[in-house]
Amino acid sequence: VPPPAALFCAQAVQKSLRRAPLPELDEALAAVLLAATREAAARGWQAGLIQLCLACAVTAIRAGETTLLAAFDGNASAVERLAALQLLALVAEELHSPASKISVAPARPAALRAALVSQADATLATLHRWFEEAAAAAAASQRLQPAQAEAAAHSAAAVLRAVGAWCACGLLGAESAAASPLLSRCAAGALANSRTAVDAAEAA
């Protein structure tokens, strides 16, 4: 759990970024957001991570580009993947139904949406691979290492949340979604797991 002051600051940042003057993506701002988000993910501060990923998502929408999203390499480490999955889900949710108003010209979110749609098949394939890795890790460590099994199940659930958000936002085409094992076989299997059932139901 993040210290109350840290959580307050994270909330204040994401709320202020919704309306603060931001003509272009500022490199200094991006660097601070990325560093803070990685730190929250590394410390397991889920509430703070959500607020900071919201700040990144809002900034990406207002900038109309994917720079912040691409900054997290989910193949590099568990921390990077945790942040990447949270951000993938939240940017889709903010594009589809913002938590509160974002001051931005319509062309910016439209540009970001178009960029994400163009990358949707690759993103879906990556999410499928991450889900399979998490499911395999959970199965391998379930008896001997409960903490690792819990972390793997959490990662699998985060994948399903992200893909569910992308579907709700219309970022994934119907044909791609129908053909993906992640949205059929994997989601159906996850329904039997109490840790992933809710997210699997939403994705399916």
Side-chain angles (χ1 to χ4, degrees):
V1 178
L7 182 57
F8 173 81
C9 290
Q11 291 173 327
V13 166
Q14 71 92 358
K15 289 180 180 180
S16 65
L17 284 173
R18 292 177 182 273
R19 300 197 179 188
L22 189 69
E24 302 294 340
L25 180 59
D26 182 88
E27 291 185 4
L29 170 62
V32 171
L33 283 178
L34 293 175
T37 302
R38 288 189 172 100
E39 184 67 16
R43 291 176 178 267
W45 289 350
Q46 184 63 18
L49 179 62
I50 290 172
Q51 294 302 317
L52 290 164
C53 283
L54 273 172
C56 289
V58 168
T59 303
I61 290 170
R62 296 190 64 189
E65 57 180 85
T66 61
T67 302
L68 282 175
L69 280 68
F72 294 102
D73 181 3
N75 297 311
S77 68
V79 168
E80 288 281 308
R81 185 170 297 187
L82 179 61
L85 286 169
Q86 189 72 70
L87 183 52
L88 283 172
L90 289 173
V91 75
E93 291 175 4
E94 286 294 316
L95 280 171
H96 179 59
S97 180
S100 60
K101 183 177 179 180
I102 301 173
S103 296
V104 61
R108 295 293 179 90
L112 178 59
R113 178 184 287 273
L116 295 177
V117 168
S118 72
Q119 302 166 10
D121 286 345
T123 301
L124 185 58
T126 297
L127 289 172
H128 180 208
R129 177 166 54 80
W130 289 354
F131 181 89
E132 294 286 9
E133 290 174 0
S141 61
Q142 190 167 13
R143 292 184 180 179
L144 298 178
Q145 299 169 317
Q148 289 187 358
E150 184 71 26
H154 177 76
S155 182
V159 169
L160 294 172
R161 280 197 300 274
V163 76
W166 275 53
C167 287
C169 187
L171 298 175
L172 296 176
E175 291 185 3
S176 297
S180 173
L182 179 58
L183 288 160
S184 54
R185 174 178 55 81
C186 295
L191 288 171
N193 187 323
S194 61
R195 297 188 185 98
T196 56
V198 173
D199 298 299
E202 292 180 354

